[in-house]
């Protein structure tokens, strides 16, 4: 009887989807104001699992969503984005050799569509996070890593250099710090960014640099995004409820 019951459960187990993981980050400006919040969803712990990101006003209403499909190449994954606040929208489809870019920088901008060759060291959007983990041991030995980062609004890849800065304590936990700059002659004058990762699980704790979202005035602000807590399991019904909330076209925190 016990064996029969087990066999009856096999089809259910075989088709069960991985648990959803949810985490949150808070982006603040230099004066300490909350610029926006990030809610990240991931289907299971695998680096290449499907992901979703929702961007919310400081008061909680969502204004942008990003969807990242499953991939075998997490550092160079395509995505689709809709930002109701700035009107920015786009879809990036990645093949083995190229990226098909469909992009609109703002609501009143003309959309562009182009095909960009995919370099071997390509990094796209949040894939930068995966790339740091992939090169973790090399970086901690003090060897810088150069990557090609796609800027979809300009339809081209730019060389970026990642450099290890050292160990530190981040809110009481051991962590590692990295610096990122354009690996070109203009890198000295272009804004850089810094990243902090947890020692224990190599999880991103802090991003300090230029946001990848335009603010209410159409600028890319400098922000510090802190991910204080690790991802936690969450129900698919909660994910569904959050995805169904309509996007707003303005945030009070960025209206000034």
């Amino acid at each position: 009887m016990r064996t029969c019951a087990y066999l009856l459960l096999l089809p259910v187990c075989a088709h069960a989807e991985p648990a959803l993981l949810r985490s949150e980050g808070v982006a603040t400006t230099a004066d300490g104001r909350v610029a926006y919040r990030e809610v990240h969803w991931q289907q299971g712990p695998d680096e290449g699992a499907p992901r979703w990101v929702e961007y919310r006003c400081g008061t909680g209403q969502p204004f942008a969503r990003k969807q990242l499909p499953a991939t075998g190449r997490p550092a160079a994954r395509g995505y689709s984005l809709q930002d109701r606040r700035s009107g920015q929208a786009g879809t990036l489809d990645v093949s083995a050799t190229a990226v098909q870019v469909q992009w609109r920088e703002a609501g009143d901008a003309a959309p562009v569509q182009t095909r960009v060759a995919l370099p071997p060291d390509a990094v796209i959007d949040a894939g930068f996070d995966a790339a740091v983990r992939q090169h973790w041991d090399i970086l901690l030995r003090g060897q810088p890593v150069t990557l090609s980062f796609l800027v979809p609004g300009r339809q081209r890849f730019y060389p970026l250099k990642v450099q290890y800065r050292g160990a530190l304590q981040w809110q009481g936990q051991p962590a590692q710090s990295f610096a990122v700059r354009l690996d070109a002659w203009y890198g000295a004058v272009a804004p850089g960014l810094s990243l902090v990762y947890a020692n224990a699980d190599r999880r991103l704790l802090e991003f300090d640099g230029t946001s990848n979202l335009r603010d209410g005035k159409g600028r890319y602000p400098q922000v510090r995004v802190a991910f204080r807590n690790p991802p936690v399991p969450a129900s698919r019904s909660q994910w569904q409820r959050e995805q169904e909330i309509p996007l707003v076209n303005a945030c009070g925190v960025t209206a000034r």
Side-chain angles (χ1 to χ4, degrees), residues 1-8:
M1 181 66 70
R2 185 175 300 172
T3 302
C4 292
Y6 173 73
L7 291 174
L8 288 172

Side-chain angles (χ1 to χ4, degrees), residues 53-57 60-66 81-89 242-251:
V53 184
E54 185 174 77
Y55 299 91
R56 297 180 176 182
C57 304
Q61 306 97 323
F63 65 87
R65 288 192 178 98
K66 183 188 297 180
L81 169 71
Q82 181 184 18
D83 186 338
R84 189 64 57 79
R85 185 178 64 176
S86 69
Q88 192 176 70
E242 293 189 9
Q243 294 296 305
E244 291 174 351
I245 300 174
L247 300 179
V248 299
N249 59 16
C251 288

Side-chain angles (χ1 to χ4, degrees), residues 17-185:
E17 294 183 337
L20 291 176
L21 299 174
R22 186 182 188 276
S23 61
E24 294 192 31
V26 180
T28 54
T29 56
D31 59 5
R33 291 183 301 124
V34 175
Y36 55 85
R37 301 177 185 273
E38 299 183 10
V39 178
H40 292 249
W41 289 86
Q42 182 176 344
Q43 188 171 297
D46 184 73
E47 191 86 76
R51 296 177 181 232
W52 301 266
V53 184
E54 185 174 77
Y55 299 91
R56 297 180 176 182
C57 304
T59 50
Q61 306 97 323
F63 65 87
R65 288 192 178 98
K66 183 188 297 180
Q67 181 176 355
L68 300 92
T71 182
R73 193 176 179 181
R77 185 200 319 238
Y79 66 92
S80 60
L81 169 71
Q82 181 184 18
D83 186 338
R84 189 64 57 79
R85 185 178 64 176
S86 69
Q88 192 176 70
T91 300
L92 278 65
D93 291 315
V94 181
S95 69
T97 59
V99 184
Q100 188 68 35
V101 180
Q102 301 179 59
W103 195 258
R104 186 182 66 202
E105 188 66 9
D108 57 355
V112 296
Q113 183 170 333
T114 188
R115 185 175 182 273
V116 183
L118 189 72
D121 59 351
V123 171
I124 299 174
D125 194 64
F128 194 88
D129 186 35
V132 170
R133 282 188 287 274
Q134 289 173 7
H135 295 88
W136 186 268
D137 293 333
I138 295 174
L139 288 166
L140 261 62
R141 288 198 297 266
Q143 181 179 339
V145 173
T146 298
L147 303 166
S148 297
F149 186 77
L150 179 65
V151 179
R154 298 189 179 182
Q155 299 88 57
R156 61 167 289 190
F157 283 89
Y158 288 84
L160 289 182
K161 178 181 288 186
V162 188
Q163 180 77 55
Y164 177 55
R165 296 176 62 185
L168 74 162
Q169 290 286 316
W170 191 89
Q171 297 191 7
Q173 60 181 304
Q176 304 293 342
S177 168
F178 304 89
V180 183
R181 275 201 172 275
L182 285 170
D183 190 18
W185 64 266

